[in-house]
Amino acid sequence: MTRGLSDLTWPRRTERLLLRPPRRADLPVVLAYRSDPEVARWLTAVATDEEEISSRFLASGTALVVERDGEVVGDLMLQVGDGWAQREVADRARGTQAELGWVIAPAHQGQGYAVEAVRELVTIAFELGVRRVEAGSFAENVASRRVMEKVGLRQEGHFVRESLHRDGTWRDGVTYALLADEWDGPAARRT
């Protein structure tokens, strides 16, 4: 049976970071970096106000905040869902995979925080009992693709002009994934 983030003990620590559920006090910082045009261009939705971001972060049960020395430097998303299955075995596919997402504030990018945080997020996903994690991005989002590769996810798909960007253009998308039995948490922590 798959569990959720609320079933785990928080916070979680990595070498340099602390991961924890978000609090209302985090919202102004999260809104500020998610509203930055260079960040927002890659996100599914542009953050418009604290109330909107509150519903996604505080109520969803899928978000985590990334801290470095007490400062919020980014956020993570882990959404457990069902794997695809034929109807006769669909009950066995419930809660078997997770979608991962991440955002690091521009002032903190380029320091390896995304890789460090996402490695821990993959560990968390597998601790929750999923058998597969996946992450996707626009193909041209090279930074996110590097994170996925450094964490150990493999590219499973490249989809030609399948993603409609808010600027009105169709963009290529990519999907990366990893199975639980392929994950070697301690070995994967090496850079």
Side-chain angles (χ1 to χ4, degrees), residues 46-115:
V46 176
T48 56
D49 59 43
E50 281 186 34
E51 200 52 45
E52 184 238 341
I53 211 147
S54 173
S55 67
R56 281 195 275 154
F57 278 80
L58 301 180
S60 71
T62 64
L64 295 171
V65 166
V66 180
E67 282 186 11
R68 166 83 172 153
D69 298 329
E71 180 182 1
V72 173
V73 299
D75 62 80
L76 305 169
M77 183 270 298
L78 190 153
Q79 186 165 354
V80 175
D82 300 341
W84 186 89
Q86 293 176 315
R87 185 180 341 170
E88 297 84 359
V89 291
D91 60 319
R92 293 184 10 217
R94 287 195 183 96
T96 59
Q97 66 183 40
E99 179 183 0
L100 310 177
W102 55 89
V103 177
I104 300 295
H108 302 283
Q109 292 175 2
Q111 300 176 54
Y113 297 153
V115 172

Side-chain angles (χ1 to χ4, degrees), residues 25-62:
D26 301 324
L27 298 180
V29 174
V30 172
L31 178 62
Y33 65 75
R34 281 182 159 261
S35 300
D36 182 291
E38 286 303 307
V39 172
R41 73 185 232 170
W42 303 120
L43 301 179
T44 303
V46 176
T48 56
D49 59 43
E50 281 186 34
E51 200 52 45
E52 184 238 341
I53 211 147
S54 173
S55 67
R56 281 195 275 154
F57 278 80
L58 301 180
S60 71
T62 64

Side-chain angles (χ1 to χ4, degrees), residues 2-175:
T2 308
R3 303 178 300 157
L5 292 176
S6 62
D7 296 319
L8 300 177
T9 302
W10 299 102
R12 294 285 288 252
R13 296 185 188 279
T14 66
E15 184 178 331
R16 301 176 295 166
L17 305 172
L18 181 134
L19 280 57
R20 63 167 173 79
R23 300 187 285 251
R24 184 159 289 283
D26 301 324
L27 298 180
V29 174
V30 172
L31 178 62
Y33 65 75
R34 281 182 159 261
S35 300
D36 182 291
E38 286 303 307
V39 172
R41 73 185 232 170
W42 303 120
L43 301 179
T44 303
V46 176
T48 56
D49 59 43
E50 281 186 34
E51 200 52 45
E52 184 238 341
I53 211 147
S54 173
S55 67
R56 281 195 275 154
F57 278 80
L58 301 180
S60 71
T62 64
L64 295 171
V65 166
V66 180
E67 282 186 11
R68 166 83 172 153
D69 298 329
E71 180 182 1
V72 173
V73 299
D75 62 80
L76 305 169
M77 183 270 298
L78 190 153
Q79 186 165 354
V80 175
D82 300 341
W84 186 89
Q86 293 176 315
R87 185 180 341 170
E88 297 84 359
V89 291
D91 60 319
R92 293 184 10 217
R94 287 195 183 96
T96 59
Q97 66 183 40
E99 179 183 0
L100 310 177
W102 55 89
V103 177
I104 300 295
H108 302 283
Q109 292 175 2
Q111 300 176 54
Y113 297 153
V115 172
E116 188 173 329
V118 174
R119 279 188 181 131
E120 187 65 20
L121 189 63
V122 170
T123 298
I124 291 166
F126 292 141
E127 286 175 7
L128 291 175
V130 302
R131 61 172 292 280
R132 173 186 163 83
V133 295
E134 67 179 35
S137 73
F138 289 110
E140 64 197 90
N141 186 344
V142 175
S144 278
R145 293 179 72 172
R146 280 192 197 124
V147 169
M148 292 183 256
E149 291 165 1
K150 286 182 178 182
V151 168
L153 280 69
R154 89 181 134 269
Q155 184 176 333
E156 291 190 339
H158 184 119
F159 308 98
V160 178
R161 291 190 303 246
E162 58 89 42
S163 301
L164 182 60
H165 193 275
R166 70 179 55 86
D167 69 5
T169 61
W170 287 96
R171 311 274 182 100
D172 289 7
V174 291
T175 299

Side-chain angles (χ1 to χ4, degrees), residues 122-123 126 151 178-190:
V122 170
T123 298
F126 292 141
V151 168
L178 182 72
L179 298 173
D181 61 10
E182 299 170 323
W183 181 244
D184 184 7
R189 290 193 182 339
R190 295 186 297 247

